[in-house]
Amino acid sequence: MRGAAIRSFAPVLTRGEPVTTRQTRSGFTVLELMVVMALLLILALVALPSFEGLRGNSRQKAAVDLVRTRIANARTRAMETGVPHRLAISTDGTKIRLAPDVPEFAELPPAEFSSSGAKVNEDSLDRATAGLQTQDGTPAAFSDGTWTTIATFKPDGTCVEDNAIVTINEGDFPPMRIHIRGVTGTSRILPAQPTTGASQ
């Protein structure tokens, strides 16, 4: 009896009749694709703030590196060429310019590509701004209206402006400060200033 029940469900084939089998799908439906895309979008929206947090103040650190590199370049060029070189930031704090210290400093055309052999370098700071203050914290006023002088390096390697401090800002991060030493013409990063108004 048991065998008869199984036979009754088995397909009965007659001679000359093609055998048909169920074909499997070779793709996804539109609904399945939309569900997967929605899940990926939700995952990306959740993970995006984490990726921004990983970046941190990397643009600010890159701007500090750029300013310190240009300080070293200005000193080196002044010593190699025997001509004073000036390093300045734009009045809006988004660009930095290195050129010979001549009356037409602002009008000299910058090099198309930044290189150590260029006569004039002009760099943009990526999402960071630069400012200048003196040792006592007051804003410095060495500006010609377009460019604010950070430092002027003499052929002997010293800097005319003594104890200038360049501040680099990005978003809500505390400013990073670069101290330029006049006698040696070198720079160093100052430690972060303690925040004021914190309860103890």
Side-chain angles (χ1 to χ4, degrees):
M1 186 83 160
R2 207 171 185 182
I6 292 175
R7 280 192 208 123
S8 66
F9 291 121
V12 178
L13 296 176
T14 57
R15 192 169 210 155
E17 201 175 305
V19 177
T20 57
T21 59
R22 182 178 171 136
Q23 294 183 359
T24 59
R25 293 187 314 182
S26 61
F28 300 103
T29 65
V30 174
L31 180 63
E32 290 170 333
L33 290 175
M34 288 177 59
V35 168
V36 169
M37 293 298 287
L39 290 173
L40 289 174
L41 181 63
I42 290 169
L43 182 65
L45 290 174
V46 169
L48 187 62
S50 298
F51 290 128
E52 285 296 320
L54 287 175
R55 179 177 292 136
N57 64 342
S58 62
R59 292 183 184 113
Q60 185 181 29
K61 291 176 182 176
V64 167
D65 289 343
L66 175 64
V67 170
R68 292 191 73 201
T69 298
R70 291 299 176 223
I71 289 169
N73 289 12
R75 183 173 185 265
T76 302
R77 287 185 194 172
M79 292 172 69
E80 286 177 352
T81 63
V83 176
H85 274 66
R86 185 185 339 168
L87 187 64
I89 54 174
S90 60
T91 51
D92 65 357
T94 60
K95 292 184 179 180
I96 185 166
R97 182 177 180 86
L98 167 59
D101 185 31
V102 293
E104 59 274 0
F105 172 84
E107 288 81 34
L108 293 172
E112 190 172 327
F113 300 103
S114 183
S115 70
S116 60
K119 184 176 180 180
V120 178
N121 290 105
E122 190 170 309
D123 303 290
S124 294
L125 304 178
D126 182 29
R127 295 188 188 178
T129 58
L132 187 63
Q133 66 185 33
T134 59
Q135 189 74 354
D136 62 4
T138 58
F142 311 117
S143 179
D144 65 2
T146 308
W147 297 97
T148 301
T149 301
I150 295 174
T152 307
F153 292 90
K154 297 190 273 185
D156 63 1
T158 60
C159 180
V160 173
E161 296 77 17
D162 189 26
N163 291 325
I165 296 175
V166 180
T167 58
I168 306 293
N169 302 294
E170 179 195 358
D172 294 333
F173 295 103
M176 294 181 76
R177 301 175 307 138
I178 305 167
H179 177 227
I180 302 173
R181 299 175 181 142
V183 175
T184 60
T186 59
S187 67
R188 68 182 177 110
I189 298 174
L190 295 174
Q193 289 179 323
T195 56
T196 59
S199 59
Q200 293 181 355

